[in-house]
Every structure is written in structure tokens, then in C-alpha cells.
Amino acid sequence: MNTKIITLFLLLMLLALGGGCDRYIDSRDPVRSIPDSGPVPKNLTVLLNDQSISLSWEIANPEVVGMYRIYAAVQPRVGEESDFVLRDSTAARSIQLDQLLINESYYIKVAAVSTSGLEWEQSEAVKAVFTYLSIAIESGRELVKGLSVRVNINAPTQTSHIMLSEDQTFATDIWIPFEGTVINYELSDGDGTKWLYARLQFDDGSRTGNVLSDSIVVDTRATIDSVFFTVPANGEYFTVGETITFGVTSGEAGGDASISFDGGLSGRIDLYDDGVGVDPEADDGIYYGAWVVPVSYTLDHGEVTGRFTDEAGNSAPDFTASNFLTIFTPPQSVILTASPLSTFEISLTWTQTTSSAADFAAYRIYRHTTSAVSESSTLVYATSTSTSTDFTDTDLDDNMQYYYRHYIYDKSGLSAASDVATARTLVNTTPDPVELFVVDNGSETTTELHWTKSTESDFDSYRIYRPASALVSQPSLVMFTTLVWKGNDIDELLRAGISLPVATGNYFFVLYVFDKHGEKSDASNTVSAPAPAGE
């Protein structure tokens, strides 16, 4: 009997425990509870964005809902709820889904979850395509020079209608059939940045969520504000080898600028707005370029013309600088050589000018006793003959270094100087004496003197001396101080007729050779002639 009582007691305990527990079956799936009666999301709305999906819904009694779970499936099988996989969750009644497969169609359901964690029945499925959506004006270009543009639409084949407008609110726009991925559009008047906005509608009635947009800069004209160039070093004109900096001010970066000028310049000089070289600042709309004046280039009051094409392809009207460009090229200098000839002469030779006879004006040679020879030094030679190539500088001091510079002048007044040439005159020595002879010419009042020829290269003169009166005995030669004859031609007849004043006794004569430096030779031998007697 005791055994029956114990068995009955255990059965009653089990029945009591079974009747008092909650209706809940433990599951290994933490997000899939056994549904119970509760609100179900209704009126699911899908909006497609570029690489995302905006999903929203409605629900009754939202105060009992703690969260919402979003399930998605690709090509789900009928009745197979397990094909729907949990993708995300949210406490709000909308969500944006991304990180899905591109160009794939998804079926999406939403289930409400109670505040205690119980998930209720899932909503009806809605279909959405996860894809790329975008618009691009002129294939993404930054600039156009006209108002007629082509708009590229990146959208799926299920697209049925489009709104395209410069008004982000689409206030006055209507849906038009979507007939292709390229649409011609006429932008509003005026230069500047233009924005286009687009919305899409699909075959199932869904639409894009975020507004698609793109912008482009409309630039329908280009202008040049100024053309300029640097001032020459001398304030008047440029010469060969000088660098000229040119500039064009346009107010637009990213374009192409250049200048050209008359006078034979081949081609053009390109200018840049890149902050490199002579351009002080990049992308400020001021274009710079440098040009070095070449040899033999001449331009007299030439016009400098600037040209500019902006990034959009608009060409500005040519613009001429307000000031004129003048370039004078000096004549090419000659090569000057200096060589000593004697104690008082230096030979100068030079190459002939390459200037034409029409341009040539003159040669000039300047001399100095230092290497600082210039046009302010002593002028020793000048000629207007372009074929002249030599000159001998004379009357120089012996054993002296002289410096020369040759200048060539053209008819415009420009000149070119040679390098400095230098030479030292030879060291002077005392002239050698000659031999003197007296010749009886049969006259009592004159006598004829002959002598041998001097061989001095710097010969200046012969000088014959006699005393003021006849001397009884021959005096020292230095006492002969009375000059009675002077001849300065070394090649003349080597003789002289000397008048003899009336006196008593003889006249004595001696001859000296003088050079160009004033040096005299030792005295020649002494000769004498009888003085004529008075009546």
C-alpha cells in the first residue's frame, strides 16, 4: 500500500509542474523564437540608392515592440522560410541596407520583436535590386563650354521613369519615360557651376531614395585682361643674351597661354601657370614664360600679342600689350691682337667685321696704361672703313705696357668691345754714332758736311753742332752746344751745307744722332773747316 501512495504522489507532482510552466520551447537558434500573436510590419517601402537600400514600414502598437529584425533572401523557395537570412536589426521603423551583392535581386521581410525578446510573425516580402545608381554630366568632365550636355545614367534595366532637373526639390518636374542611359539636357543660361539632380522609378513602382546628383562648370567664354613683359636693364631696349619675361593675365587657371611678336620670331613662346621657373604662383590665372634674346635678333617697336585658350576650350580674342618691344643686337666684336714693333711702336691687327656694310658705322681703338681700358680711355684710331684690319700706334714710351680695346659700332649706335689686347714696347738703347766728313765745296763762306747713315729703328733726327766762335784747340765734345743744322729724315741725302760766318781760324763740327725718346748718341768724330777771312 505504501508503494501505491508514493507512485500517486509523484504523478500528481508531475501534473502540477506541467500545468504551471510558460509556453516556450528552448531553441538552439537565438533569434528564431516560437511566434505568438503580435503586431506584424505592414506597408513595407523600398527606396533604392547607389549601393544601398532604404527600407521603411508601418506597425500597429509600436509601444510593445523592442526591436525589428530584417531578413533577406535571394530567389527564395515557396514556403521555405529558412531561405530568409537575418541581415540586420534596428529599433527604428526604417533602416538602410548595404554590403549586399551588386545587381542582385533581394526579397526582404521584417519581423517585430517584443520588449521581452519574443519574435512575432514576419511581414510580407518586398523585392529590391541592390545596384549602382549614379548620373554623370559629360562622362564626369569638370568643364564644358556650352549649355547642351549629355547626361550618363547608371541604372538597372528595370528602370521605367526618370526626373532630371536643376531643382533639387523637383517642384515643377514630372516623371518622363526612361528610354536610355544617355539623355541630352539643356542647362540654364549663365557661366558657373551647374548642378543636375535625378530620381528614378522602377518597373515594380519603387523609386530611388537619395537624390542622384552631379555638377559641372559651364564656361562659355575666355578673356585676356593684360599682356606684359619685363623692362630692359637699360630702360630702353633688350640686347642679345638678355632674358625677357612675358606674362598673360586671364583670371582662369588650367588653360593654355602664349605670346608672339612681329620681327621674325618663329612660332610662339608658351607661358605657364604652374608655379615653376619664372611663374611665382601656381593656378592664379597669370601665365608666365621666359625667352633669351638670340644672337643677331633685332626688333624695333614690335607689338607683343597674347593668346589664351581656357580649360573648357574657349579661345579668347588676341590681346596686344600696351607697350612696344625693342630688341637691338650689337655687332659682333672682332678679335684684337697687339704686338711690339719697336721702342715706340705697337702693331694692332683685328679680324674683319661680319656686319653688313649697311649696318657698319665705325671702328675705334682705345689705349690705356692699365687693363681698365674703355671708351673713356685715349682714342688712338678711328675709321669708317669696314675692311680696315690693322693699325700701328706710335710715339709711345719705351719699355711700357700698353692695353688696347677695339670697338665696333653699327648705325643704330650699338657697339661691341673686343677683349683687351696688350703689348710692351721694346727697351730703348743709346743710338750708335755715325762718322762725319767735311767736303771742300770751293766756297769760303760755306762748307759741306757728309756722314754715314744711322741704322736706329727709332731714329728721330741728325743734329750738327759748332761753337759760337772758332777755337784754337779742339774742346770737349760736350761743349758743342750751338745747333747749326737738324734733319729728321733718315733717308734723305746724308749731307748738309753749313754757312760759315766771318771769323778767324777754323770752325769745328760734330754730329749727334737722336732717337724718338730724346736719347742722343755719342758724338761723331770732329771735323773742321776754315772760317772765311774778312776784308
Side-chain angles (χ1 to χ4, degrees):
M1 178 170 179
N2 290 338
T3 303
K4 292 181 178 180
I5 293 172
I6 292 172
T7 303
L8 179 61
F9 177 77
L10 290 176
L11 179 61
L12 291 173
M13 287 294 293
L14 288 173
L15 290 173
L17 289 173
C21 68
D22 290 335
R23 182 178 175 273
Y24 180 83
I25 299 177
D26 187 23
S27 173
R28 297 182 181 274
D29 184 356
V31 299
R32 303 296 299 271
S33 302
I34 296 176
D36 198 356
S37 177
V40 177
K42 305 289 185 181
N43 300 327
L44 270 66
T45 301
V46 173
L47 297 177
L48 303 187
N49 308 312
D50 180 26
Q51 302 179 65
S52 68
I53 297 172
S54 294
L55 180 67
S56 62
W57 54 88
E58 298 175 1
I59 194 164
N61 303 322
E63 64 276 4
V64 301
V65 178
M67 62 181 296
Y68 301 91
R69 293 181 179 142
I70 294 87
Y71 296 88
V74 177
Q75 297 179 350
R77 294 167 295 177
V78 177
E80 292 293 334
E81 295 297 321
S82 62
D83 288 346
F84 285 84
V85 178
L86 179 66
R87 300 296 306 198
D88 211 336
S89 62
T90 178
R93 290 193 293 275
S94 64
I95 193 170
Q96 182 167 294
L97 301 177
D98 54 17
Q99 297 183 354
L100 303 176
L101 296 176
I102 292 295
N103 295 328
E104 186 67 80
S105 295
Y106 285 89
Y107 293 83
I108 303 172
K109 292 183 177 183
V110 178
V113 179
S114 70
T115 55
S116 61
L118 180 66
E119 181 178 304
W120 291 305
E121 182 181 351
Q122 296 178 356
S123 69
E124 295 291 332
V126 293
K127 183 181 177 182
V129 177
F130 187 73
T131 186
Y132 292 113
L133 296 176
S134 65
I135 65 171
I137 307 173
E138 289 294 333
S139 301
R141 286 176 56 187
E142 294 184 2
L143 285 167
V144 288
K145 64 177 182 178
L147 298 175
S148 297
V149 296
R150 291 162 58 90
V151 183
N152 302 92
I153 313 294
N154 187 21
T157 56
Q158 298 92 340
T159 306
S160 61
H161 291 78
I162 185 172
M163 278 188 185
L164 191 61
S165 176
E166 290 184 65
D167 178 11
Q168 190 173 7
T169 66
F170 302 95
T172 60
D173 295 277
I174 61 174
W175 292 102
I176 61 174
F178 185 78
E179 297 178 347
T181 58
V182 178
I183 298 176
N184 294 321
Y185 192 89
E186 191 74 14
L187 296 170
S188 58
D189 290 338
D191 285 5
T193 302
K194 305 285 186 178
W195 281 90
L196 270 184
Y197 305 94
R199 296 182 65 189
L200 301 176
Q201 183 170 291
F202 306 97
D203 293 340
D204 60 2
S206 62
R207 298 175 179 178
T208 50
N210 298 335
V211 175
L212 308 178
S213 65
D214 192 26
S215 66
I216 197 165
V217 176
V218 175
D219 187 357
T220 60
R221 65 190 184 95
T223 60
I224 296 176
D225 298 325
S226 67
V227 174
F228 57 90
F229 53 89
T230 49
V231 177
N234 60 23
E236 298 180 10
Y237 55 84
F238 293 96
T239 62
V240 60
E242 279 194 83
T243 298
I244 309 175
T245 299
F246 296 94
V248 167
T249 303
S250 70
E252 291 188 63
D256 294 315
S258 66
I259 65 99
S260 62
F261 44 85
D262 52 11
L265 177 67
S266 176
R268 69 180 196 174
I269 299 173
D270 291 324
L271 311 181
Y272 301 94
D273 184 19
D274 54 6
V276 178
V278 295
D279 180 38
E281 182 178 351
D283 300 328
D284 61 353
I286 306 176
Y287 298 75
Y288 288 87
W291 182 70
V292 179
V293 178
V295 175
S296 303
Y297 190 87
T298 301
L299 177 64
D300 191 1
H301 289 80
E303 289 186 343
V304 177
T305 301
R307 296 178 177 85
F308 175 69
T309 301
D310 66 16
E311 190 175 4
N314 301 297
S315 294
D318 290 353
F319 193 99
T320 301
S322 59
N323 51 332
F324 294 104
L325 177 64
T326 298
I327 301 172
F328 287 148
T329 300
Q332 188 172 356
S333 60
V334 302
I335 300 174
L336 179 66
T337 303
S339 303
L341 286 181
S342 67
T343 59
F344 65 97
E345 296 171 310
I346 290 178
S347 173
L348 299 170
T349 59
W350 57 89
T351 55
Q352 188 172 342
T353 179
T354 57
S355 299
S356 66
D359 293 333
F360 176 82
Y363 290 139
R364 293 178 188 172
I365 299 177
Y366 293 88
R367 181 186 70 209
H368 202 272
T369 54
T370 72
S371 60
V373 56
S374 67
E375 290 173 293
S376 61
S377 303
T378 302
L379 176 65
V380 296
Y381 178 75
T383 183
S384 59
T385 303
S386 63
T387 57
S388 175
T389 57
D390 63 89
F391 166 71
T392 298
D393 191 19
T394 59
D395 295 328
L396 304 175
D397 293 333
D398 74 297
N399 195 28
M400 176 67 75
Q401 195 79 28
Y402 289 96
Y403 299 85
Y404 298 89
R405 179 164 272 165
H406 182 291
Y407 287 82
I408 179 173
Y409 298 84
D410 63 19
K411 291 184 178 177
S412 65
L414 295 178
S415 63
S418 70
D419 291 335
V420 174
T422 183
R424 179 180 288 275
T425 53
L426 301 179
V427 177
N428 191 39
T429 57
T430 302
D432 292 330
V434 297
E435 188 174 358
L436 184 62
F437 305 94
V438 63
V439 178
D440 185 1
N441 60 1
S443 171
E444 294 183 354
T445 58
T446 63
T447 187
E448 188 169 298
L449 300 177
H450 291 196
W451 57 88
T452 57
K453 181 180 179 179
S454 173
T455 60
E456 299 298 324
S457 62
D458 57 350
F459 171 84
D460 179 74
S461 62
Y462 298 114
R463 302 183 191 184
I464 300 173
Y465 293 85
R466 67 170 174 78
S469 60
L471 300 176
V472 176
S473 60
Q474 181 175 333
S476 171
L477 291 178
V478 297
M479 299 302 295
F480 286 81
T481 57
T482 300
L483 176 63
V484 296
W485 183 88
K486 176 181 178 182
N488 56 8
D489 189 345
I490 196 171
D491 292 322
E492 71 179 13
L493 292 175
L494 303 180
R495 65 175 182 266
I498 307 298
S499 297
L500 301 175
V502 175
T504 302
N506 292 331
Y507 284 103
F508 295 91
F509 300 93
V510 65
L511 184 145
Y512 290 89
V513 177
F514 281 77
D515 64 19
K516 292 184 180 297
H517 306 286
E519 293 288 335
K520 74 176 188 297
S521 66
D522 290 339
S524 68
N525 57 300
T526 303
V527 298
S528 63
E535 297 180 356

